[in-house]
């Protein structure tokens, strides 16, 4: 049985129950989510052949500070960067560094600024130079998967409805949905209940109720769903070395549907930018 609790009563406590937020939470997440979207917008002209992922991380750090936020990843469990940069067959949590982006790469950049205690968690795919039709198609379908999941995010539906919409669309295109990582509750905590899986049966899992905040962030592979962790303890890659893509929005369930906190103010939610 799923437990729900008023976020006002527990604030930032990790209780295992699903927090239901009021107007203060929607306002706070709106500000944090907008900054996340603005950071990802600002990156668009810089994700080009020849740039290093560390240079992109530096841009994220500057824009986060300029927007009055701090990067949630900086110092998180020993992580020393302001974003994650996941290139080609990297599924998630790629570490910025000296890697130079090359013509034809696809890269996911994942940011989470904290603004007044609220976490705005979002990621987008970027196309580097002249990208193959196969890679572009994967990126397009992955974005569609996320948006189809968001369409199911409304009161009375379940997490399984979200997951099933994503899984059906991915598998229709013969892609694999990663099971090893999932979305999560978000708010005053970076990661909170509930877990948001991206493959499953409709009508199963927790019921969606107004005030719930969580991310929808499907990771879709051209090949098999299997992933493996690299020795750095962070980077996850496809076992068969095929391409992977991901998009992520933070949302809040409303009385009528849902609010997307991390929508781009410039309309740059998907490439081409």
């Amino acid at each position: 049985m799923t437990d729900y609790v008023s976020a006002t009563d527990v604030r930032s406590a990790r209780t295992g129950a699903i927090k239901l937020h009021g107007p203060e939470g929607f306002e706070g997440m709106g500000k944090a989510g907008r900054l996340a979207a603005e950071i990802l917008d600002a990156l668009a002209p810089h994700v080009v052949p020849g740039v290093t992922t560390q240079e992109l991380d530096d841009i994220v750090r500057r824009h986060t500070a300029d927007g009055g936020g701090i990067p949630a990843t900086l110092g998180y469990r020993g992580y020393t960067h302001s974003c994650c940069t996941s290139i080609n067959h990297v599924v998630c949590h790629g570490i910025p560094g000296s890697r130079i982006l090359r013509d034809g790469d696809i890269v996911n950049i994942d940011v989470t600024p904290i603004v007044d205690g609220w976490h705005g968690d979002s990621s987008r795919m970027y196309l580097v130079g002249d990208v193959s039709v196969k890679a572009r198609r994967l990126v397009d379908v992955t974005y569609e998967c996320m948006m189809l999941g968001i369409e199911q995010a409304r009161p009375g539906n379940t997490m399984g409805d979200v997951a099933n919409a994503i899984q059906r669309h991915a598998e229709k295109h013969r892609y694999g949905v990663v099971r090893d990582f999932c979305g999560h509750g978000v708010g005053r905590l970076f990661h909170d209940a509930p877990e948001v899986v991206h493959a499953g049966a409709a009508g199963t899992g927790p019921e969606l109720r107004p005030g719930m905040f969580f991310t929808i962030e499907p990771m879709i592979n051209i090949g098999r769903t299997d992933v493996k962790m690299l020795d750095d303890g962070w980077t996850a890659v496809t076992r068969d070395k095929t391409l992977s893509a991901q998009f992520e929005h933070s949302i809040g369930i409303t009385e009528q549907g849902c609010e997307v906190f991390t929508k781009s103010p410039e309309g740059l939610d998907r490439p081409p930018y």
Side-chain angles (χ1 to χ4, degrees), residues 34-234:
R34 182 179 178 88
L35 180 56
E38 290 171 346
I39 294 165
L40 294 175
D41 285 357
L43 285 168
H46 301 282
V47 184
V48 295
V51 73
T52 68
T53 51
Q54 182 57 57
E55 290 174 290
L56 299 176
D57 189 67
D58 292 340
I59 292 170
V60 171
R61 184 179 287 110
R62 289 197 303 270
H63 275 272
T64 304
D66 290 347
I70 57 174
T73 56
L74 194 58
Y76 180 78
R77 296 182 179 177
Y79 194 78
T80 58
H81 297 275
S82 299
C83 68
C84 295
T85 52
S86 302
I87 305 169
N88 296 335
H89 74 295
V90 178
V91 175
C92 60
H93 303 156
I95 303 173
S98 60
R99 168 68 154 86
I100 296 172
L101 295 184
R102 301 183 179 91
D103 190 63
D105 284 342
I106 59 173
V107 57
N108 175 274
I109 303 178
D110 191 342
V111 303
T112 309
I114 306 173
V115 180
D116 298 331
W118 297 94
H119 294 71
D121 194 358
S122 186
S123 79
R124 288 183 211 160
M125 295 300 299
Y126 297 81
L127 309 178
V128 185
D130 187 15
V131 172
S132 70
V133 172
K134 179 173 72 172
R136 287 175 180 268
R137 181 169 174 267
L138 172 67
V139 170
D140 285 343
V141 171
T142 302
Y143 179 80
E144 292 163 4
C145 283
M146 177 185 67
M147 296 307 296
L148 287 167
I150 289 173
E151 285 181 11
Q152 294 298 315
R154 58 181 183 266
N157 275 6
T158 67
M159 283 297 181
D161 295 322
V162 174
N164 188 253
I166 291 168
Q167 182 181 3
R168 284 191 293 108
H169 191 65
E171 293 181 350
K172 181 175 74 174
H173 292 274
R174 300 180 182 274
Y175 294 151
V177 181
V178 171
R179 270 71 161 180
D180 295 72
F181 298 94
C182 61
H184 51 86
V186 69
R188 289 193 175 276
L189 291 176
F190 192 178
H191 298 102
D192 203 355
E195 287 192 344
V196 183
V197 299
H198 302 114
T204 63
E207 178 188 353
L208 303 185
R209 299 185 182 180
M212 290 174 64
F213 295 167
F214 54 89
T215 69
I216 296 178
E217 49 180 302
M219 287 146 270
I220 309 297
N221 299 345
I222 280 183
R224 298 175 60 86
T225 64
D226 304 325
V227 306
K228 68 176 181 179
M229 296 295 298
L230 299 187
D231 291 341
D232 60 30
W234 287 102

